[in-house]
Structure formats: structure tokens, C-alpha cells
Amino acid sequence: MSPYLHFLKIEPDKCDGRMKCMRVCPTEAIRVRNGKAQIIEEKCVDCGECITACPHGAIVALTDPFGELTRFRHTVALPSPGLHAQFGKEILPQKIVAGLKHLGFDDAFDLSLTCGEVSFAIQEYLRDYNGPKPVISNACPTVVRLIQVKYPSLIDQILPIDTPRELAARELKAKKAKRLGLKEKEIGTFYLTPCPAKMISIRQPAEKGRSSLDGAISISNIYGPLLSALEGVEKDSYEKDLKNICILGMGWAMSGGICRTLRIKNSLAVSGIHEIIKVFDDIEKGKLRDIEFIEAYSCHQGCVGGSLTVENRYLSFNKVLKLIETLEYEKIKACPDIREVRKKYEEGYYFMKGKLEPRPLKPLSEDLSEAIRKRREKGEIYEKLPKIDCGACGSPTCMAFAEDVIMRDSVITDCIFNLPQKFEKLSEEFSSMLEKSISMSGVQSPKKKNKDKKGKP
Amino acid sequence: MFCDDGLSQHFQIQGGDFSRAGRVSTTIKEILQEVGIDPAIIRRAAIASYEAEMNVVMYAQKADLTLKLTPEEITIRIEDQGPGIKNIDQAMQEGFSTATDQMREMGFGAGMGLPNINRNADVFWIGSIRGKGTVLIITFLLKKGGKA
Ligand SMILES: Nc1ncnc2c1ncn2[C@@H]1O[C@H](COP(=O)(O)OP(=O)(O)OP(=O)(O)O)[C@@H](O)[C@H]1O
Ligand code: SF4
Ligand SMILES: [Mg+2]
């Protein structure tokens, strides 16, 4: 078994082997064997593209059930800014935060102010930065995994500032433990997540360290109950939550949302994992060196397009824009104190505690000569293939198939273009079996036998 | 020795084909990753092969690129058919470029390509015949002695 956790599961009963997931997987981590999809764990970066692609809902994200709340004495919900994007200006964030408290959480904490704070901290970091450019944002755990797995040489370019969700959870745990006279581990911090990737960043942080979050609950699971809970929320009950609603941070859920808060000349926002791969390829070739900061979100349009959201990603992208306008109009705009942020920045408050290590894919062999030999063989097999990436063999591309022949369970005749060979072999086997059974039963060989419609003697 | 434990792969690069430019160096990078070369060396090889590939796309008609890989070294040989380089010493200088305005608009033409190859390679050889073409041999050492 792979030592890496994943929170995606394929339900074989629902899978009918259509290969849609296999075709969208950006890291070629899916194979279809015996009509069922399988994940090669080492290659998976948890982007969730397969969840969205599967027409049968056969790939499910394992997020935490509500029942997890009972494990703690006091629970806090930390909604991703992506949650607000589901509602837009119709239901303002402060009301949503209040609604969450009706759902069984003891408290709810909006992350937009912390996001704004982190935007300031990133500004501080970039101002004095003189390492290789561009610096790459770490807000999306899938992007961090992708770099660990496929772009290990870019690892030092990942922003070392902790994510708002982690910073807020850490702070909340400490403060609440003090105020309520509880131990930190008795306080449960739950992230309301737009994607399964956040689940992994909690259970198995990319940097070696511990997460301050205790679990993640899917936005799609909470959406329905939250809608009903919102009906019972009185306006004056949530006025006090306004102090945390910050328009700087509200945009973090959408692509471009971080860049717009940084006030730097040259930044770039990329979304969609396939696009990101192209951009990272370029960075590795030495391009884009004049870009200071790249904001990269694995999902198109940013977290508003996460696989566990409800609303259409383009609609929710728009909703965020409208929401920001509305908050501005209503003068709901808490803002972090820049001097305070600078002070905490100097103290090292914002920096990630653990270190990010690369996690490159296993080479074809640990022994270099052997690996080179296998790579040569792989090339030779590839040359025999039609190079049309039809996928009928259950591998995503002809190249991946060639590797599966060398490293995994495929045989060359699994390629339908090599099927005639297989038939030849089968028919040879069949006739030799026939010969054998005939000679054993002492019957004449079929050629010499006269046609007898009754069949077996 | 090479035949026993080596790999040799050929690629073609088309001059003027900006839309596909960079594919070959991406493939080279992937091959190196698959066999487990140190990421720092891969990055140097990726930068060098990309610069060489782009020079073909920008200045030559076409080229054959051969990647040779043994447990000792990576060798990338690019032989192009093109105008050749008039003055190699000058071309190797940082900032020297004959790129057109159009190329500059696309972000090329800083005159950093050849110097970058030289900086990243462990061994770099370049030769050119005017009116015929240019040959580059770029080597990265995998055992001791490399720049990594
Ligand atoms: N393969 C080639 N064929 C012909 N001329 C070349 C070739 N490679 C380089 N040159 C010449 O050498 C000059 C310097 O090349 P170099 O790669 O260092 O810079 P550049 O290509 O002009 O700019 P940059 O690589 O920074 O985009 C080029 O402008 C060109 O005149
Ligand atoms: S873009 Fe957002 S929703 Fe999508 S995987 Fe990354 S963090 Fe999750
Ligand atoms: Mg050049």
C-alpha cells in the first residue's frame, strides 16, 4: 500500500468502466481494469477532477460526517470563503456564519479577515524576497502536491506563509482553550471545504507537521441543512459577526482573488490543473522569471469551482464579485491592521512550521542502469503501439500503457491493435488443446471426421 | 559500453513552429524524471534543452535532437540546418541577440540563451558552419564532478 493518504474512493458497484475519469486525470493516475476504475495512489494529487467527471457518482470524496462533532467539547466551523460564493449577495456572510451556529457548531468563524491578514503578510514576504521567481501560492493543497510529485525542483518557490485556515484554527484553539478552560484537543475546529484536497492537507499535511484543524466537512453536504437553518436566523443575532467580514479576504475563493490584494506589478493568476501544468513546465524551462507571484488554483475559476461545491463555478465566481460590491456598499469592510501584521510577521507568526519535502514519483527502478534499461524498453514497446491514445486498453495514453506493460499488470495484447496477435495465439492454444483432447479420447482428428450434425459422439 | 546500459532517443524540431516550441524539452524532462535523475540536474537540463530548442525554432529551418542517457551522463546533441552563427564568441556573450522585433515581443531575444546553456551544462560544445548549420553538444555529468 502507498504511504500516502487519499480521500477519494471509487465505488466499484457504481463504476461501469466508462473511462471518463481516466481521461481527465492530469497525472495519469487512473487505470481501468476488468471494467472498473482504479487509482494509482502514488500518482494521485487529489485534484478531484475525476469526481466531477464521473457521470455515475462512482468516485466519492471521504470528508468528515457531522457526527464527528460529538468527539469534542466545543466545536467551531471555519467556512471556506467558497461557502459564501454559493449564496452571493442574497445571503450575506454574517448571516451564514450565524446560520452555522444553528447547525450544531458551538461557534463559527469567518476566514475572510484572516485571508486579508495573510494577503498583507504575503506582501511583506515578497518585498524582501530575492530567491528564484516566481513565488507560487500554497493556498490550494493540490497545487502543493503537484509540485511535490511532478515539479520537485520548484519546491523552494512555494510560499512559506501558512494558510489562513491553519492560522485561524491555531489561534482559535489557543484562545478558546484559555477562555473556556478546556484543553486544546477538546476544541474541534472544522473546515467547511469545497474539495477533498483540504481533507488531506489536514490529515497528512504536505509539510511535515501537524494541522490545527480537526476535520473537514463538505460544502455540498452542509448546503441543504444550512439553507433550512438560515430561515430561523434573526438579523440582530448576527450583527456582532460583522467584525470579521473583510472584503480583501472575501475574494480568496476565486481565481485572481489573492493577486488583486497584493499590490505588486507582476503577478499571474492561473486556474485549472491542466493549465497550471503548462505554466509550471514553463517555469522549469526558465521562463516567467519576471513574474513575482503566481496564484494557482487547481480548480477552474478557483475554489468556487471545487468538486464539493453546489453552484455552477461561473455563477459563483460572479456571485463573489457582486458580494464584494455589496459589502463595500453596505460599508461592511473590516480590515486587518497593517502595523499589527508587520509586527507579527517580524516575529515569525505567519510562517509555516514544517518543511516541505519533495515527493517525486518512484523511478522505473532504484538502480539507475536498470531504470535506463526499462525506459529504453518502454520506448521500444511504445513504438509498436498505434499512438492514438484510444484508452481501450484501460490506460490513459499509449505511453502510459507502455509503462504499464513494464511496471504493472498490462500485457501488450491488451492493446486492441495488437489483438490479431492475441487471436493467433489463442487459436493456436485452442487447436493444440483440441488436438490433445482428441488424441486423449482416441477420436479421429476433426479433419478426417465426416460431418455429423448431432455433434458429440 | 553505451549500447549496453544506455538509452538513445531522437526528436525533430521544426524551425518557425512557435506553437509546438518547447515540447521536446518537456519530453526530455519527463524521461529524466522517470529514470530518477536528481531534480536539480533535471532542471538544468530542462533549461539548457529549452534554450537550444528555441534557438532552432527562432533561427534555423529544422534540427535533429538526440538524447543519450547512460548511468554516467546525459548528452543532448542538436544539429540544425540553418544559417549558422557568424561569430560564436559574440553569440555566446550575454545580451547579444539578432532576434527580430516580433520575437522580442514574444519575450525572446534577451541574448541569454547560449550563455544560459553554458552556465547550466557541465560540458558545452558548439560549432557552426555558415550557411549550413549549427551543432550543440550539451553534457551533464551524473556522477561526481557535475555542477549539482
Ligand atoms: N541555432 C542557431 N542558428 C543560427 N543562429 C543562432 C542559433 N542559435 C543562436 N544563434 C544566434 O546567436 C544569438 C544569441 O543566441 P542566444 O540564444 O544567446 O540569444 P537569443 O536567442 O537572441 O535570445 P534569448 O535566447 O535570450 O531569447 C542569436 O540572436 C542568433 O543570432
Ligand atoms: S482550487 Fe480550491 S477547491 Fe480546488 S482543489 Fe484547490 S483548494 Fe480545493
Ligand atoms: Mg536563444
Side-chain angles (χ1 to χ4, degrees), chain B:
Chain B
M1 180 198 83
F2 175 74
C3 299
D4 289 341
D5 54 359
L7 170 150
S8 167
Q9 191 142 344
H10 301 280
F11 303 89
Q12 279 182 349
I13 304 168
Q14 195 56 46
D17 185 357
F18 281 88
S19 65
R20 287 166 53 88
R23 299 263 174 103
V24 174
S25 42
T26 301
T27 309
I28 291 176
K29 184 186 83 184
E30 282 165 2
I31 294 176
L32 299 180
Q33 275 179 340
E34 284 176 53
V35 300
I37 305 289
D38 175 354
I41 299 182
I42 296 182
R43 187 158 189 186
R44 289 199 282 126
I47 292 174
S49 55
Y50 175 70
E51 293 292 357
E53 185 179 359
M54 282 321 300
N55 280 355
V56 173
V57 172
M58 293 203 287
Y59 307 112
Q61 274 95 52
K62 64 175 180 178
D64 286 311
L65 185 151
T66 310
L67 165 73
K68 288 195 179 181
L69 179 58
T70 69
E72 282 74 38
E73 60 184 42
I74 304 165
T75 313
I76 297 166
R77 184 178 192 281
I78 301 116
E79 178 170 351
D80 74 38
Q81 292 168 27
I85 300 175
K86 221 190 295 180
N87 181 340
I88 290 186
D89 287 337
Q90 187 184 37
M92 288 294 295
Q93 273 165 27
E94 288 191 7
F96 176 81
S97 174
T98 61
T100 61
D101 287 346
Q102 213 181 349
M103 292 170 184
R104 283 170 208 271
E105 248 164 53
M106 287 193 279
F108 304 107
M112 291 302 290
L114 292 174
N116 249 337
I117 300 175
N118 193 32
R119 185 167 337 124
N120 283 289
D122 288 317
V123 187
F124 178 42
W125 186 89
I126 175 167
S128 187
I129 299 176
R130 281 189 68 190
K132 276 198 82 178
T134 305
V135 178
L136 268 62
I137 303 177
I138 309 167
T139 307
F140 301 89
L141 305 177
L142 300 177
K143 305 245 156 105
K144 265 184 218 132
K147 280 180 185 169

Side-chain angles (χ1 to χ4, degrees), chain A residues 128-155:
Chain A
D128 304 328
Y129 180 79
N130 50 20
K133 281 195 230 171
V135 170
I136 303 166
S137 73
N138 61 347
C140 171
T142 299
V143 170
V144 175
R145 291 269 146 144
L146 180 72
I147 292 175
Q148 286 180 297
V149 173
K150 278 195 72 175
Y151 301 92
S153 75
L154 300 182
I155 219 154

Side-chain angles (χ1 to χ4, degrees), chain A residues 363-419:
Chain A
L364 295 172
S365 162
E366 294 301 332
D367 175 63
L368 183 56
S369 313
E370 176 71 7
I372 293 175
R373 192 183 58 73
K374 284 196 166 152
R375 185 58 185 75
R376 193 175 62 203
E377 261 174 53
K378 175 176 161 182
E380 285 159 8
I381 292 175
Y382 178 70
E383 283 311 314
K384 288 187 204 143
L385 301 175
K387 305 185 183 72
I388 53 168
D389 300 341
C390 73
C393 56
S395 305
T397 59
C398 293
M399 200 46 122
F401 174 73
E403 186 173 311
D404 289 344
V405 172
I406 294 191
M407 301 299 287
R408 296 185 187 85
D409 53 349
S410 299
V411 284
I412 184 92
T413 48
D414 288 342
C415 169
I416 50 169
F417 291 86
N418 285 294
L419 209 57

Side-chain angles (χ1 to χ4, degrees), chain A residues 77-335:
Chain A
L78 295 95
S80 149
L83 180 67
H84 304 315
Q86 308 301 303
F87 302 97
K89 65 174 180 159
E90 310 309 331
I91 305 176
L92 293 179
Q94 60 273 28
K95 184 166 181 184
I96 294 170
V97 171
L100 289 169
K101 293 184 213 165
H102 287 239
L103 279 185
F105 294 100
D106 296 309
D107 197 2
F109 181 87
D110 194 74
L111 286 172
S112 56
L113 190 66
T114 322
C115 290
E117 230 185 292
V118 173
S119 287
F120 286 161
I122 299 175
Q123 287 179 11
E124 294 298 302
Y125 180 73
L126 292 178
R127 197 174 40 227
D128 304 328
Y129 180 79
N130 50 20
K133 281 195 230 171
V135 170
I136 303 166
S137 73
N138 61 347
C140 171
T142 299
V143 170
V144 175
R145 291 269 146 144
L146 180 72
I147 292 175
Q148 286 180 297
V149 173
K150 278 195 72 175
Y151 301 92
S153 75
L154 300 182
I155 219 154
D156 294 334
Q157 283 166 249
I158 299 177
L159 181 76
I161 305 280
D162 223 337
T163 55
R165 55 184 187 275
E166 286 294 336
L167 288 167
R170 195 170 82 196
E171 181 90 26
L172 276 171
K173 279 207 168 204
K175 276 200 180 145
K176 286 197 174 260
K178 221 182 202 173
R179 182 143 41 87
L180 302 170
L182 295 173
K183 295 197 185 91
E184 285 198 12
K185 66 168 194 269
E186 291 174 318
I187 294 161
T189 45
F190 287 87
Y191 186 67
L192 306 185
T193 183
C195 64
K198 301 277 174 47
M199 192 73 195
I200 296 127
S201 74
I202 294 170
R203 289 294 153 78
Q204 194 179 56
E207 73 280 11
K208 295 214 168 91
R210 253 189 72 85
S211 170
S212 302
L213 286 158
D214 293 293
I217 294 174
S218 143
I219 287 183
S220 58
N221 284 346
I222 215 160
Y223 183 79
L226 181 59
L227 263 190
S228 352
L230 284 172
E231 283 168 19
V233 177
E234 306 286 334
K235 184 163 172 126
D236 46 323
S237 73
Y238 56 77
E239 290 299 330
K240 72 175 175 49
D241 289 314
L242 287 177
K243 67 179 193 315
N244 259 352
I245 310 294
C246 160
I247 46 175
L248 265 186
M250 212 37 91
W252 269 59
M254 62 178 188
S255 172
I258 303 180
C259 286
R260 68 186 258 285
T261 62
L262 295 184
R263 296 163 203 274
I264 50 176
K265 263 191 263 126
N266 253 335
S267 64
L268 194 67
V270 200
S271 72
I273 189 159
H274 293 275
E275 310 304 314
I276 292 174
I277 285 176
K278 283 187 213 148
V279 169
F280 285 178
D281 277 338
D282 281 350
I283 299 179
E284 274 204 329
K285 286 171 196 155
K287 291 169 87 177
L288 305 177
R289 258 179 272 192
D290 53 340
I291 307 270
E292 287 173 74
F293 182 79
I294 288 205
E295 174 206 299
Y297 280 117
S298 171
C299 299
H300 277 288
Q301 310 292 110
C303 295
V304 294
S307 54
L308 303 179
T309 56
V310 187
E311 185 58 283
N312 171 298
R313 59 178 53 144
Y314 295 96
L315 288 179
S316 39
F317 187 92
N318 251 344
K319 283 185 176 182
V320 177
L321 293 178
K322 292 253 169 60
L323 173 62
I324 292 174
E325 266 174 30
T326 309
L327 291 174
E328 251 174 351
Y329 181 77
E330 305 250 338
K331 301 207 164 42
I332 302 173
K333 39 182 177 184
C335 187

